[in-house]
Amino acid sequence: MGKTIIAGPCSVESHEQLREVTAALCKMPQVNLIRCGVWKPRTRPGGFEGLGEPALRWMQELSTTYNVKYCCEVARPEHVELCLHYGLSTIWLGARTTTNPFMVGEICEALQGSGMNVLVKNPVCPDVRLWLGAVERLQQVGIGHISAVHRGFSMYHNNGYRNAPLWEVAMEFRREMPDIPILCDPSHIGGRADLLTPLSTTAMLMDYDGLMIEVHPHPADAWTDAVQQISPDELARLLSEIMHTPVAPDSKAGPRLAALRDNIDTIDHSLLRMLSQRMELSRQIATIKHELHMPVYQSSRWADVMRDRLQLAESLGLNSSFTKEMLERIHAESVRVQLEP
Ligand code: PEP
Ligand code: MN
């Protein structure tokens, strides 16, 4: 399946800036859609808030001149009305909007019966239910073409990212809604142009359906998000580096992959059998604890177990936070089993 590439400036700044970036992007066959901010949600007051209606008028004009399609963010029902008026066929809900079910509801009312394509960015906070809820609200008003956009999450510690990627949250979204295509927005996750390649590579390895990337004709002069935008030439280089056509497995690679997967299946089956045996031992222990009037939860034994297992895990080269989380989960289940009447 071909990937969807959405590229364009964070914000429309002038007719000439939009024309220049459009003239460059329309020559790139991988780019399907041009993104541009017309109304900009600013966390603090005082910044550039977007040009509004005049930008939409230029988009309508340039879409005919260059035979391209544009999309922009909407945050209020009036924005939807204007996008419909100026012939846009795709809009997106920004991260701040997805966080707010009242706003999503009002936008959905305005979209009812419109046939608009809608992209739904993840909410600012890592609550997958808000993301799913926004998609469900759009489905309820009959929006047929919906995609999700993973743009990262606002955390107190973001580990060097502008918005922590938390790939596991997007994975949960995909498990819940496997039929909704998902794009990655590495620009807003990374917040820096130099993070675009590693993040886009990860997105491709995670089999995302596409990317949304901020591209400006002169990134250093951008009015918003200057440090994360790249030029059209840089976009072309990035895409050629990260997009690989899958190679059909040759006569050796196919059987090698199948054999390794067989081993994984066998190991998973053993892991589950051993977990079941472990729970059975917990039940027997519960009987003895009961006879001895001992509490089920034994904090010092649990601390010893954890210390011992973490040491072993380290010597085996396993990630310690993964091991810790897994053991905590197993212990919680063991306690639950022992509390069973
Ligand atoms: C944007 O795409 O320019 C934007 C403001 O995005 P987000 O809603 O992800 O912050
Ligand atoms: Mn931006």
PDB file of all heavy atoms in Angstrom, residues 284-319:
ATOM      1  N   GLN A 284      -1.517 -22.941  46.014  1.00  0.00           N
ATOM      2  CA  GLN A 284      -1.093 -23.844  47.096  1.00  0.00           C
ATOM      3  C   GLN A 284      -0.499 -23.036  48.257  1.00  0.00           C
ATOM      4  O   GLN A 284      -0.738 -23.327  49.421  1.00  0.00           O
ATOM      5  CB  GLN A 284      -0.064 -24.848  46.563  1.00  0.00           C
ATOM      6  CG  GLN A 284      -0.678 -25.833  45.575  1.00  0.00           C
ATOM      7  CD  GLN A 284       0.369 -26.765  44.968  1.00  0.00           C
ATOM      8  OE1 GLN A 284       1.422 -26.999  45.541  1.00  0.00           O
ATOM      9  NE2 GLN A 284       0.068 -27.293  43.796  1.00  0.00           N
ATOM     10  N   ILE A 285       0.254 -21.995  47.909  1.00  0.00           N
ATOM     11  CA  ILE A 285       0.846 -21.135  48.949  1.00  0.00           C
ATOM     12  C   ILE A 285      -0.265 -20.451  49.739  1.00  0.00           C
ATOM     13  O   ILE A 285      -0.199 -20.319  50.964  1.00  0.00           O
ATOM     14  CB  ILE A 285       1.809 -20.110  48.301  1.00  0.00           C
ATOM     15  CG1 ILE A 285       3.083 -20.830  47.872  1.00  0.00           C
ATOM     16  CG2 ILE A 285       2.117 -18.957  49.244  1.00  0.00           C
ATOM     17  CD1 ILE A 285       4.080 -19.969  47.113  1.00  0.00           C
ATOM     18  N   ALA A 286      -1.329 -20.035  49.010  1.00  0.00           N
ATOM     19  CA  ALA A 286      -2.446 -19.346  49.675  1.00  0.00           C
ATOM     20  C   ALA A 286      -3.052 -20.240  50.751  1.00  0.00           C
ATOM     21  O   ALA A 286      -3.417 -19.766  51.844  1.00  0.00           O
ATOM     22  CB  ALA A 286      -3.501 -18.957  48.639  1.00  0.00           C
ATOM     23  N   THR A 287      -3.159 -21.550  50.472  1.00  0.00           N
ATOM     24  CA  THR A 287      -3.742 -22.482  51.449  1.00  0.00           C
ATOM     25  C   THR A 287      -2.888 -22.502  52.716  1.00  0.00           C
ATOM     26  O   THR A 287      -3.403 -22.411  53.842  1.00  0.00           O
ATOM     27  CB  THR A 287      -3.785 -23.911  50.844  1.00  0.00           C
ATOM     28  OG1 THR A 287      -4.260 -23.813  49.516  1.00  0.00           O
ATOM     29  CG2 THR A 287      -4.653 -24.836  51.665  1.00  0.00           C
ATOM     30  N   ILE A 288      -1.569 -22.563  52.554  1.00  0.00           N
ATOM     31  CA  ILE A 288      -0.682 -22.601  53.729  1.00  0.00           C
ATOM     32  C   ILE A 288      -0.754 -21.287  54.511  1.00  0.00           C
ATOM     33  O   ILE A 288      -0.871 -21.272  55.731  1.00  0.00           O
ATOM     34  CB  ILE A 288       0.769 -22.916  53.296  1.00  0.00           C
ATOM     35  CG1 ILE A 288       0.810 -24.264  52.572  1.00  0.00           C
ATOM     36  CG2 ILE A 288       1.708 -22.904  54.495  1.00  0.00           C
ATOM     37  CD1 ILE A 288       2.150 -24.660  52.026  1.00  0.00           C
ATOM     38  N   LYS A 289      -0.734 -20.158  53.758  1.00  0.00           N
ATOM     39  CA  LYS A 289      -0.818 -18.852  54.441  1.00  0.00           C
ATOM     40  C   LYS A 289      -2.110 -18.787  55.270  1.00  0.00           C
ATOM     41  O   LYS A 289      -2.114 -18.278  56.393  1.00  0.00           O
ATOM     42  CB  LYS A 289      -0.802 -17.706  53.414  1.00  0.00           C
ATOM     43  CG  LYS A 289       0.575 -17.391  52.841  1.00  0.00           C
ATOM     44  CD  LYS A 289       0.445 -16.249  51.829  1.00  0.00           C
ATOM     45  CE  LYS A 289       1.775 -15.874  51.197  1.00  0.00           C
ATOM     46  NZ  LYS A 289       1.603 -15.050  49.996  1.00  0.00           N
ATOM     47  N   HIS A 290      -3.186 -19.320  54.687  1.00  0.00           N
ATOM     48  CA  HIS A 290      -4.475 -19.312  55.367  1.00  0.00           C
ATOM     49  C   HIS A 290      -4.393 -20.118  56.663  1.00  0.00           C
ATOM     50  O   HIS A 290      -4.831 -19.669  57.730  1.00  0.00           O
ATOM     51  CB  HIS A 290      -5.541 -19.886  54.419  1.00  0.00           C
ATOM     52  CG  HIS A 290      -6.923 -19.887  54.991  1.00  0.00           C
ATOM     53  ND1 HIS A 290      -7.650 -18.734  55.156  1.00  0.00           N
ATOM     54  CD2 HIS A 290      -7.698 -20.906  55.460  1.00  0.00           C
ATOM     55  CE1 HIS A 290      -8.819 -19.034  55.694  1.00  0.00           C
ATOM     56  NE2 HIS A 290      -8.866 -20.360  55.888  1.00  0.00           N
ATOM     57  N   GLU A 291      -3.774 -21.330  56.582  1.00  0.00           N
ATOM     58  CA  GLU A 291      -3.629 -22.186  57.788  1.00  0.00           C
ATOM     59  C   GLU A 291      -2.823 -21.471  58.872  1.00  0.00           C
ATOM     60  O   GLU A 291      -3.093 -21.596  60.051  1.00  0.00           O
ATOM     61  CB  GLU A 291      -2.888 -23.485  57.409  1.00  0.00           C
ATOM     62  CG  GLU A 291      -3.761 -24.502  56.688  1.00  0.00           C
ATOM     63  CD  GLU A 291      -2.931 -25.597  56.007  1.00  0.00           C
ATOM     64  OE1 GLU A 291      -1.736 -25.772  56.369  1.00  0.00           O
ATOM     65  OE2 GLU A 291      -3.476 -26.233  55.100  1.00  0.00           O
ATOM     66  N   LEU A 292      -1.809 -20.695  58.414  1.00  0.00           N
ATOM     67  CA  LEU A 292      -0.919 -20.023  59.381  1.00  0.00           C
ATOM     68  C   LEU A 292      -1.422 -18.637  59.784  1.00  0.00           C
ATOM     69  O   LEU A 292      -0.732 -17.906  60.492  1.00  0.00           O
ATOM     70  CB  LEU A 292       0.487 -19.895  58.778  1.00  0.00           C
ATOM     71  CG  LEU A 292       1.201 -21.203  58.390  1.00  0.00           C
ATOM     72  CD1 LEU A 292       2.560 -20.921  57.766  1.00  0.00           C
ATOM     73  CD2 LEU A 292       1.373 -22.116  59.610  1.00  0.00           C
ATOM     74  N   HIS A 293      -2.626 -18.251  59.297  1.00  0.00           N
ATOM     75  CA  HIS A 293      -3.171 -16.892  59.533  1.00  0.00           C
ATOM     76  C   HIS A 293      -2.174 -15.823  59.125  1.00  0.00           C
ATOM     77  O   HIS A 293      -1.949 -14.836  59.822  1.00  0.00           O
ATOM     78  CB  HIS A 293      -3.570 -16.708  61.005  1.00  0.00           C
ATOM     79  CG  HIS A 293      -4.646 -17.647  61.417  1.00  0.00           C
ATOM     80  ND1 HIS A 293      -5.936 -17.547  60.966  1.00  0.00           N
ATOM     81  CD2 HIS A 293      -4.605 -18.743  62.219  1.00  0.00           C
ATOM     82  CE1 HIS A 293      -6.647 -18.540  61.477  1.00  0.00           C
ATOM     83  NE2 HIS A 293      -5.866 -19.293  62.238  1.00  0.00           N
ATOM     84  N   MET A 294      -1.520 -16.051  57.978  1.00  0.00           N
ATOM     85  CA  MET A 294      -0.519 -15.108  57.458  1.00  0.00           C
ATOM     86  C   MET A 294      -1.181 -14.232  56.393  1.00  0.00           C
ATOM     87  O   MET A 294      -1.986 -14.754  55.610  1.00  0.00           O
ATOM     88  CB  MET A 294       0.565 -15.928  56.745  1.00  0.00           C
ATOM     89  CG  MET A 294       1.957 -15.758  57.233  1.00  0.00           C
ATOM     90  SD  MET A 294       2.918 -17.065  56.416  1.00  0.00           S
ATOM     91  CE  MET A 294       3.978 -16.078  55.442  1.00  0.00           C
ATOM     92  N   PRO A 295      -0.869 -12.926  56.335  1.00  0.00           N
ATOM     93  CA  PRO A 295      -1.449 -12.126  55.248  1.00  0.00           C
ATOM     94  C   PRO A 295      -0.972 -12.616  53.873  1.00  0.00           C
ATOM     95  O   PRO A 295       0.139 -13.137  53.767  1.00  0.00           O
ATOM     96  CB  PRO A 295      -0.921 -10.707  55.498  1.00  0.00           C
ATOM     97  CG  PRO A 295      -0.259 -10.731  56.816  1.00  0.00           C
ATOM     98  CD  PRO A 295       0.020 -12.144  57.208  1.00  0.00           C
ATOM     99  N   VAL A 296      -1.816 -12.453  52.890  1.00  0.00           N
ATOM    100  CA  VAL A 296      -1.462 -12.845  51.518  1.00  0.00           C
ATOM    101  C   VAL A 296      -0.303 -11.984  51.012  1.00  0.00           C
ATOM    102  O   VAL A 296       0.664 -12.468  50.427  1.00  0.00           O
ATOM    103  CB  VAL A 296      -2.701 -12.694  50.593  1.00  0.00           C
ATOM    104  CG1 VAL A 296      -2.296 -12.614  49.127  1.00  0.00           C
ATOM    105  CG2 VAL A 296      -3.668 -13.846  50.824  1.00  0.00           C
ATOM    106  N   TYR A 297      -0.401 -10.668  51.248  1.00  0.00           N
ATOM    107  CA  TYR A 297       0.613  -9.743  50.742  1.00  0.00           C
ATOM    108  C   TYR A 297       1.794  -9.707  51.694  1.00  0.00           C
ATOM    109  O   TYR A 297       1.645  -9.380  52.866  1.00  0.00           O
ATOM    110  CB  TYR A 297      -0.003  -8.347  50.587  1.00  0.00           C
ATOM    111  CG  TYR A 297       0.940  -7.364  49.924  1.00  0.00           C
ATOM    112  CD1 TYR A 297       1.068  -7.334  48.550  1.00  0.00           C
ATOM    113  CD2 TYR A 297       1.714  -6.491  50.691  1.00  0.00           C
ATOM    114  CE1 TYR A 297       1.953  -6.455  47.932  1.00  0.00           C
ATOM    115  CE2 TYR A 297       2.596  -5.610  50.090  1.00  0.00           C
ATOM    116  CZ  TYR A 297       2.714  -5.597  48.713  1.00  0.00           C
ATOM    117  OH  TYR A 297       3.594  -4.725  48.106  1.00  0.00           O
ATOM    118  N   GLN A 298       2.958 -10.095  51.195  1.00  0.00           N
ATOM    119  CA  GLN A 298       4.174 -10.154  52.018  1.00  0.00           C
ATOM    120  C   GLN A 298       5.204  -9.209  51.407  1.00  0.00           C
ATOM    121  O   GLN A 298       5.922  -9.580  50.481  1.00  0.00           O
ATOM    122  CB  GLN A 298       4.724 -11.599  52.008  1.00  0.00           C
ATOM    123  CG  GLN A 298       3.792 -12.640  52.597  1.00  0.00           C
ATOM    124  CD  GLN A 298       3.813 -12.615  54.117  1.00  0.00           C
ATOM    125  OE1 GLN A 298       4.843 -12.363  54.731  1.00  0.00           O
ATOM    126  NE2 GLN A 298       2.660 -12.854  54.724  1.00  0.00           N
ATOM    127  N   SER A 299       5.279  -7.970  51.956  1.00  0.00           N
ATOM    128  CA  SER A 299       6.097  -6.968  51.258  1.00  0.00           C
ATOM    129  C   SER A 299       7.589  -7.316  51.233  1.00  0.00           C
ATOM    130  O   SER A 299       8.264  -7.050  50.238  1.00  0.00           O
ATOM    131  CB  SER A 299       5.866  -5.581  51.849  1.00  0.00           C
ATOM    132  OG  SER A 299       6.215  -5.600  53.198  1.00  0.00           O
ATOM    133  N   SER A 300       8.126  -7.937  52.326  1.00  0.00           N
ATOM    134  CA  SER A 300       9.577  -8.161  52.302  1.00  0.00           C
ATOM    135  C   SER A 300       9.933  -9.290  51.320  1.00  0.00           C
ATOM    136  O   SER A 300      10.928  -9.213  50.613  1.00  0.00           O
ATOM    137  CB  SER A 300      10.130  -8.439  53.694  1.00  0.00           C
ATOM    138  OG  SER A 300       9.691  -9.702  54.120  1.00  0.00           O
ATOM    139  N   ARG A 301       9.078 -10.335  51.266  1.00  0.00           N
ATOM    140  CA  ARG A 301       9.307 -11.416  50.296  1.00  0.00           C
ATOM    141  C   ARG A 301       9.250 -10.834  48.866  1.00  0.00           C
ATOM    142  O   ARG A 301      10.085 -11.134  48.023  1.00  0.00           O
ATOM    143  CB  ARG A 301       8.255 -12.514  50.504  1.00  0.00           C
ATOM    144  CG  ARG A 301       8.008 -13.438  49.335  1.00  0.00           C
ATOM    145  CD  ARG A 301       9.058 -14.518  49.150  1.00  0.00           C
ATOM    146  NE  ARG A 301       8.779 -15.318  47.957  1.00  0.00           N
ATOM    147  CZ  ARG A 301       9.681 -15.945  47.225  1.00  0.00           C
ATOM    148  NH1 ARG A 301      10.958 -15.900  47.572  1.00  0.00           N
ATOM    149  NH2 ARG A 301       9.327 -16.638  46.166  1.00  0.00           N
ATOM    150  N   TRP A 302       8.268  -9.953  48.641  1.00  0.00           N
ATOM    151  CA  TRP A 302       8.112  -9.372  47.303  1.00  0.00           C
ATOM    152  C   TRP A 302       9.334  -8.527  46.928  1.00  0.00           C
ATOM    153  O   TRP A 302       9.844  -8.599  45.812  1.00  0.00           O
ATOM    154  CB  TRP A 302       6.804  -8.574  47.244  1.00  0.00           C
ATOM    155  CG  TRP A 302       6.642  -7.745  45.996  1.00  0.00           C
ATOM    156  CD1 TRP A 302       6.351  -6.421  45.939  1.00  0.00           C
ATOM    157  CD2 TRP A 302       6.759  -8.182  44.627  1.00  0.00           C
ATOM    158  NE1 TRP A 302       6.289  -6.006  44.630  1.00  0.00           N
ATOM    159  CE2 TRP A 302       6.546  -7.076  43.802  1.00  0.00           C
ATOM    160  CE3 TRP A 302       7.052  -9.405  44.032  1.00  0.00           C
ATOM    161  CZ2 TRP A 302       6.596  -7.130  42.423  1.00  0.00           C
ATOM    162  CZ3 TRP A 302       7.104  -9.468  42.641  1.00  0.00           C
ATOM    163  CH2 TRP A 302       6.882  -8.350  41.855  1.00  0.00           C
ATOM    164  N   ALA A 303       9.868  -7.758  47.914  1.00  0.00           N
ATOM    165  CA  ALA A 303      11.064  -6.939  47.632  1.00  0.00           C
ATOM    166  C   ALA A 303      12.246  -7.855  47.276  1.00  0.00           C
ATOM    167  O   ALA A 303      13.013  -7.555  46.346  1.00  0.00           O
ATOM    168  CB  ALA A 303      11.398  -6.071  48.842  1.00  0.00           C
ATOM    169  N   ASP A 304      12.375  -9.006  48.011  1.00  0.00           N
ATOM    170  CA  ASP A 304      13.476  -9.948  47.705  1.00  0.00           C
ATOM    171  C   ASP A 304      13.328 -10.519  46.297  1.00  0.00           C
ATOM    172  O   ASP A 304      14.293 -10.624  45.545  1.00  0.00           O
ATOM    173  CB  ASP A 304      13.478 -11.135  48.695  1.00  0.00           C
ATOM    174  CG  ASP A 304      13.869 -10.685  50.097  1.00  0.00           C
ATOM    175  OD1 ASP A 304      14.411  -9.563  50.223  1.00  0.00           O
ATOM    176  OD2 ASP A 304      13.604 -11.448  51.055  1.00  0.00           O
ATOM    177  N   VAL A 305      12.097 -10.919  45.971  1.00  0.00           N
ATOM    178  CA  VAL A 305      11.834 -11.508  44.650  1.00  0.00           C
ATOM    179  C   VAL A 305      12.237 -10.502  43.564  1.00  0.00           C
ATOM    180  O   VAL A 305      12.960 -10.830  42.619  1.00  0.00           O
ATOM    181  CB  VAL A 305      10.335 -11.887  44.507  1.00  0.00           C
ATOM    182  CG1 VAL A 305       9.982 -12.213  43.056  1.00  0.00           C
ATOM    183  CG2 VAL A 305       9.998 -13.075  45.402  1.00  0.00           C
ATOM    184  N   MET A 306      11.766  -9.271  43.712  1.00  0.00           N
ATOM    185  CA  MET A 306      12.019  -8.246  42.691  1.00  0.00           C
ATOM    186  C   MET A 306      13.523  -8.022  42.529  1.00  0.00           C
ATOM    187  O   MET A 306      14.032  -7.970  41.407  1.00  0.00           O
ATOM    188  CB  MET A 306      11.306  -6.950  43.092  1.00  0.00           C
ATOM    189  CG  MET A 306      11.351  -5.867  42.071  1.00  0.00           C
ATOM    190  SD  MET A 306      10.630  -6.351  40.477  1.00  0.00           S
ATOM    191  CE  MET A 306       9.168  -5.356  40.449  1.00  0.00           C
ATOM    192  N   ARG A 307      14.244  -7.904  43.667  1.00  0.00           N
ATOM    193  CA  ARG A 307      15.694  -7.649  43.603  1.00  0.00           C
ATOM    194  C   ARG A 307      16.379  -8.784  42.835  1.00  0.00           C
ATOM    195  O   ARG A 307      17.176  -8.555  41.925  1.00  0.00           O
ATOM    196  CB  ARG A 307      16.247  -7.546  45.034  1.00  0.00           C
ATOM    197  CG  ARG A 307      17.547  -6.763  45.093  1.00  0.00           C
ATOM    198  CD  ARG A 307      18.023  -6.513  46.529  1.00  0.00           C
ATOM    199  NE  ARG A 307      16.999  -6.014  47.442  1.00  0.00           N
ATOM    200  CZ  ARG A 307      16.453  -6.700  48.476  1.00  0.00           C
ATOM    201  NH1 ARG A 307      16.828  -7.941  48.703  1.00  0.00           N
ATOM    202  NH2 ARG A 307      15.549  -6.153  49.251  1.00  0.00           N
ATOM    203  N   ASP A 308      16.034 -10.021  43.224  1.00  0.00           N
ATOM    204  CA  ASP A 308      16.656 -11.193  42.591  1.00  0.00           C
ATOM    205  C   ASP A 308      16.387 -11.230  41.081  1.00  0.00           C
ATOM    206  O   ASP A 308      17.289 -11.423  40.271  1.00  0.00           O
ATOM    207  CB  ASP A 308      16.096 -12.453  43.269  1.00  0.00           C
ATOM    208  CG  ASP A 308      16.550 -13.704  42.547  1.00  0.00           C
ATOM    209  OD1 ASP A 308      17.727 -14.075  42.711  1.00  0.00           O
ATOM    210  OD2 ASP A 308      15.739 -14.293  41.784  1.00  0.00           O
ATOM    211  N   ARG A 309      15.120 -11.009  40.698  1.00  0.00           N
ATOM    212  CA  ARG A 309      14.751 -11.123  39.270  1.00  0.00           C
ATOM    213  C   ARG A 309      15.366 -10.000  38.441  1.00  0.00           C
ATOM    214  O   ARG A 309      15.744 -10.203  37.294  1.00  0.00           O
ATOM    215  CB  ARG A 309      13.226 -11.104  39.069  1.00  0.00           C
ATOM    216  CG  ARG A 309      12.411 -12.066  39.920  1.00  0.00           C
ATOM    217  CD  ARG A 309      12.865 -13.518  39.866  1.00  0.00           C
ATOM    218  NE  ARG A 309      11.886 -14.378  40.530  1.00  0.00           N
ATOM    219  CZ  ARG A 309      12.031 -14.897  41.758  1.00  0.00           C
ATOM    220  NH1 ARG A 309      13.144 -14.701  42.454  1.00  0.00           N
ATOM    221  NH2 ARG A 309      11.062 -15.640  42.286  1.00  0.00           N
ATOM    222  N   LEU A 310      15.455  -8.794  39.060  1.00  0.00           N
ATOM    223  CA  LEU A 310      16.036  -7.680  38.292  1.00  0.00           C
ATOM    224  C   LEU A 310      17.519  -7.914  38.025  1.00  0.00           C
ATOM    225  O   LEU A 310      18.031  -7.577  36.960  1.00  0.00           O
ATOM    226  CB  LEU A 310      15.822  -6.344  39.024  1.00  0.00           C
ATOM    227  CG  LEU A 310      14.410  -5.764  38.924  1.00  0.00           C
ATOM    228  CD1 LEU A 310      14.279  -4.492  39.763  1.00  0.00           C
ATOM    229  CD2 LEU A 310      14.019  -5.452  37.469  1.00  0.00           C
ATOM    230  N   GLN A 311      18.187  -8.540  39.026  1.00  0.00           N
ATOM    231  CA  GLN A 311      19.616  -8.863  38.849  1.00  0.00           C
ATOM    232  C   GLN A 311      19.789  -9.854  37.699  1.00  0.00           C
ATOM    233  O   GLN A 311      20.620  -9.664  36.814  1.00  0.00           O
ATOM    234  CB  GLN A 311      20.148  -9.521  40.115  1.00  0.00           C
ATOM    235  CG  GLN A 311      21.175  -8.672  40.842  1.00  0.00           C
ATOM    236  CD  GLN A 311      21.539  -9.283  42.183  1.00  0.00           C
ATOM    237  OE1 GLN A 311      21.445 -10.513  42.359  1.00  0.00           O
ATOM    238  NE2 GLN A 311      21.924  -8.444  43.109  1.00  0.00           N
ATOM    239  N   LEU A 312      18.960 -10.903  37.720  1.00  0.00           N
ATOM    240  CA  LEU A 312      19.037 -11.918  36.668  1.00  0.00           C
ATOM    241  C   LEU A 312      18.743 -11.275  35.297  1.00  0.00           C
ATOM    242  O   LEU A 312      19.461 -11.497  34.329  1.00  0.00           O
ATOM    243  CB  LEU A 312      18.043 -13.050  36.954  1.00  0.00           C
ATOM    244  CG  LEU A 312      17.935 -14.121  35.857  1.00  0.00           C
ATOM    245  CD1 LEU A 312      19.264 -14.841  35.666  1.00  0.00           C
ATOM    246  CD2 LEU A 312      16.833 -15.132  36.194  1.00  0.00           C
ATOM    247  N   ALA A 313      17.670 -10.455  35.279  1.00  0.00           N
ATOM    248  CA  ALA A 313      17.268  -9.829  34.008  1.00  0.00           C
ATOM    249  C   ALA A 313      18.415  -8.998  33.445  1.00  0.00           C
ATOM    250  O   ALA A 313      18.677  -9.016  32.242  1.00  0.00           O
ATOM    251  CB  ALA A 313      16.036  -8.960  34.229  1.00  0.00           C
ATOM    252  N   GLU A 314      19.117  -8.275  34.344  1.00  0.00           N
ATOM    253  CA  GLU A 314      20.222  -7.440  33.877  1.00  0.00           C
ATOM    254  C   GLU A 314      21.312  -8.305  33.255  1.00  0.00           C
ATOM    255  O   GLU A 314      21.823  -8.005  32.172  1.00  0.00           O
ATOM    256  CB  GLU A 314      20.776  -6.614  35.033  1.00  0.00           C
ATOM    257  CG  GLU A 314      21.627  -5.481  34.517  1.00  0.00           C
ATOM    258  CD  GLU A 314      22.282  -4.673  35.624  1.00  0.00           C
ATOM    259  OE1 GLU A 314      21.833  -4.763  36.786  1.00  0.00           O
ATOM    260  OE2 GLU A 314      23.260  -3.965  35.305  1.00  0.00           O
ATOM    261  N   SER A 315      21.627  -9.425  33.932  1.00  0.00           N
ATOM    262  CA  SER A 315      22.691 -10.282  33.384  1.00  0.00           C
ATOM    263  C   SER A 315      22.252 -10.923  32.062  1.00  0.00           C
ATOM    264  O   SER A 315      23.077 -11.326  31.260  1.00  0.00           O
ATOM    265  CB  SER A 315      23.100 -11.343  34.405  1.00  0.00           C
ATOM    266  OG  SER A 315      22.048 -12.289  34.521  1.00  0.00           O
ATOM    267  N   LEU A 316      20.955 -11.001  31.845  1.00  0.00           N
ATOM    268  CA  LEU A 316      20.452 -11.586  30.587  1.00  0.00           C
ATOM    269  C   LEU A 316      20.256 -10.536  29.494  1.00  0.00           C
ATOM    270  O   LEU A 316      19.795 -10.846  28.397  1.00  0.00           O
ATOM    271  CB  LEU A 316      19.113 -12.297  30.837  1.00  0.00           C
ATOM    272  CG  LEU A 316      19.150 -13.523  31.758  1.00  0.00           C
ATOM    273  CD1 LEU A 316      17.742 -13.997  32.092  1.00  0.00           C
ATOM    274  CD2 LEU A 316      19.940 -14.656  31.109  1.00  0.00           C
ATOM    275  N   GLY A 317      20.533  -9.289  29.850  1.00  0.00           N
ATOM    276  CA  GLY A 317      20.418  -8.218  28.844  1.00  0.00           C
ATOM    277  C   GLY A 317      18.987  -7.762  28.610  1.00  0.00           C
ATOM    278  O   GLY A 317      18.682  -7.180  27.567  1.00  0.00           O
ATOM    279  N   LEU A 318      18.100  -8.007  29.593  1.00  0.00           N
ATOM    280  CA  LEU A 318      16.709  -7.543  29.431  1.00  0.00           C
ATOM    281  C   LEU A 318      16.569  -6.123  29.971  1.00  0.00           C
ATOM    282  O   LEU A 318      17.204  -5.770  30.970  1.00  0.00           O
ATOM    283  CB  LEU A 318      15.762  -8.475  30.194  1.00  0.00           C
ATOM    284  CG  LEU A 318      15.475  -9.827  29.537  1.00  0.00           C
ATOM    285  CD1 LEU A 318      14.799 -10.766  30.536  1.00  0.00           C
ATOM    286  CD2 LEU A 318      14.580  -9.632  28.313  1.00  0.00           C
ATOM    287  N   ASN A 319      15.709  -5.364  29.360  1.00  0.00           N
ATOM    288  CA  ASN A 319      15.438  -3.989  29.791  1.00  0.00           C
ATOM    289  C   ASN A 319      14.807  -3.996  31.189  1.00  0.00           C
ATOM    290  O   ASN A 319      13.859  -4.734  31.454  1.00  0.00           O
ATOM    291  CB  ASN A 319      14.489  -3.360  28.759  1.00  0.00           C
ATOM    292  CG  ASN A 319      14.063  -1.973  29.138  1.00  0.00           C
ATOM    293  OD1 ASN A 319      13.321  -1.774  30.098  1.00  0.00           O
ATOM    294  ND2 ASN A 319      14.542  -1.008  28.396  1.00  0.00           N
TER     295      ASN A 319
END
